[in-house]
Amino acid sequence: MEIVDIAGDIKRTFKEGSVLTRLIYINIGVFLLLKIIAVFFYLSGQAFPVYQWLSVPSVTEVLAKQPWTPITYMFLHQGFIHLLFNMLGLYWFGQLFLYHFEGDKMLGVYLMGGLWGAFLYVIAYNVFPAFDSMYGLLLGASASIIAILVAVAFYDPNREIHLFFIGRFPLKYVAAFYVLLSIIGISSTNPGGNIAHLGGAFWGWFYIYQLRKGKDMGAGLVDLVNQAGEFFEGLFKHKSKMKVTYRKPPRDDYEYNRQKHKQQDEINRILDKIAKSGYDSLSKQEKELLFKQGKK
């Protein structure tokens, strides 16, 4: 298959796909793009500081100079295994979420869950003495994914899912296991990531809690994202130069009406044939014409 066809297929599925499909595509696309750029930096013998520019820094002074990072970090993955497991989790839990809610709500949970993960991460690194001498960088979609998991588990806690080698378990236990694992993991080699998970988990619970009261707490951010998307789409969309031509009405209208009458006469003849001899008496061409006419 040609590269052009692959690019066209990706563009089509991205445009026609669900929010879940688009989120997965963006995460994979960012990962591949940065890895390709990193190759050129490596060959030129230069350092590749993009991950530092796009990850959330634990130091507030640095964060103030990089205010975009609480958004960019949730689409950033450094290794293939990290990306793979996050995208599998996003797909599994995202499908469960979309079973109950529309895509805009899922986008709101993903983005706000990531923002709450970044918020709790920065707060923890600047409050607890254990992190006094540490400088951390936060990246990955895990907080957003756990937000989606906890949200759907809180909404439909007894829904059973199948776990490999274990069997069927209610979703509430799966979510509780991930939250407990994140709490225990704070004292491991990835304290910042596990703290961010808890921020995402909090938002997933809080979102459904508020939604049951009739408040969609992520709607404002989703509207802002949609407006930004429409703005950039209009910015890069080229207006086609249309050449308007006018048909000659007398001759064209006459030919059009003649063809329509001829086609209608043929349909009437086929219907008369069905009335006299039945549908099975029609030829293949007659059946196809009747079928096409019925679809109009």
Side-chain angles (χ1 to χ4, degrees), residues 97 101 151-152 154-155 203-212:
F97 188 94
F101 305 105
V152 70
F154 186 55
Y155 183 82
W203 175 258
W205 168 81
F206 182 73
Y207 178 81
I208 298 299
Y209 178 76
Q210 291 295 320
L211 193 65
R212 285 175 173 167

Side-chain angles (χ1 to χ4, degrees), residues 11 15 228-242:
K11 183 179 180 181
K15 186 176 181 180
E230 291 174 1
F231 172 77
F232 284 109
E233 185 178 358
L235 203 63
F236 292 102
K237 190 175 182 180
H238 297 287
K239 293 182 179 180
S240 58
K241 296 180 180 179
M242 299 175 62

Side-chain angles (χ1 to χ4, degrees), residues 40-269:
F40 292 100
F41 272 81
Y42 173 79
L43 293 175
S44 64
Q46 300 179 30
F48 185 59
V50 173
Y51 285 98
Q52 285 76 15
W53 295 340
L54 301 179
S55 302
V56 178
S58 59
V59 178
T60 54
E61 289 81 2
V62 180
L63 178 61
K65 297 176 182 178
Q66 301 174 190
W68 58 84
T69 55
I71 290 291
T72 56
Y73 94 96
M74 66 181 82
F75 300 98
L76 200 63
H77 297 84
Q78 196 158 20
F80 175 74
I81 299 299
H82 186 201
L83 173 73
L84 176 64
F85 279 98
N86 271 353
M87 292 306 98
L88 288 174
L90 178 58
Y91 176 78
W92 290 332
F93 304 136
Q95 290 278 29
L96 292 173
F97 188 94
L98 291 179
Y99 179 81
H100 297 286
F101 305 105
E102 60 268 24
D104 279 353
K105 286 184 171 56
M106 179 180 168
L107 180 60
V109 173
Y110 183 97
L111 294 174
M112 289 300 298
L115 289 174
W116 266 92
F119 173 75
L120 194 61
Y121 161 80
V122 174
I123 293 296
Y125 265 72
N126 288 275
V127 169
F128 294 108
F131 305 119
D132 283 347
S133 59
M134 296 177 63
Y135 176 79
L137 289 173
L138 179 67
L139 70 158
S142 303
S144 300
I145 296 166
I146 288 184
I148 293 171
L149 167 61
V150 171
V152 70
F154 186 55
Y155 183 82
D156 190 8
N158 295 316
R159 181 179 181 85
E160 292 188 340
I161 63 172
H162 183 79
L163 301 177
F164 295 114
F165 307 114
I166 298 177
R168 303 187 70 83
F169 264 82
L171 195 54
K172 60 185 177 183
Y173 294 131
V174 177
F177 173 76
Y178 274 101
V179 171
L180 181 61
L181 205 62
S182 297
I183 294 173
I184 297 172
I186 292 175
S187 60
S188 68
T189 56
N190 185 27
N194 285 290
I195 290 171
H197 294 173
L198 298 179
F202 168 78
W203 175 258
W205 168 81
F206 182 73
Y207 178 81
I208 298 299
Y209 178 76
Q210 291 295 320
L211 193 65
R212 285 175 173 167
K213 294 182 177 182
K215 301 176 183 178
D216 186 349
M217 302 299 290
L221 180 59
V222 171
D223 288 342
L224 187 64
V225 170
N226 289 334
Q227 290 173 13
E230 291 174 1
F231 172 77
F232 284 109
E233 185 178 358
L235 203 63
F236 292 102
K237 190 175 182 180
H238 297 287
K239 293 182 179 180
S240 58
K241 296 180 180 179
M242 299 175 62
K243 183 180 180 181
V244 180
T245 58
Y246 296 91
R247 295 185 302 173
K248 296 178 181 179
R251 190 177 73 180
D252 287 346
D253 287 348
Y254 172 81
E255 180 64 18
Y256 173 80
N257 290 329
R258 190 183 71 81
Q259 291 291 341
K260 290 293 290 183
H261 282 114
K262 183 178 178 181
Q263 186 180 52
Q264 188 60 49
D265 289 340
E266 182 66 9
I267 294 297
N268 292 336
R269 183 189 68 78

Side-chain angles (χ1 to χ4, degrees), residues 271-290:
L271 293 175
D272 289 338
K273 187 175 180 180
I274 293 175
K276 292 177 182 179
S277 308
Y279 180 81
D280 292 335
S281 64
L282 299 182
S283 65
K284 182 180 179 181
Q285 290 78 10
E286 290 171 337
K287 290 179 180 179
E288 288 178 353
L289 179 60
L290 194 64

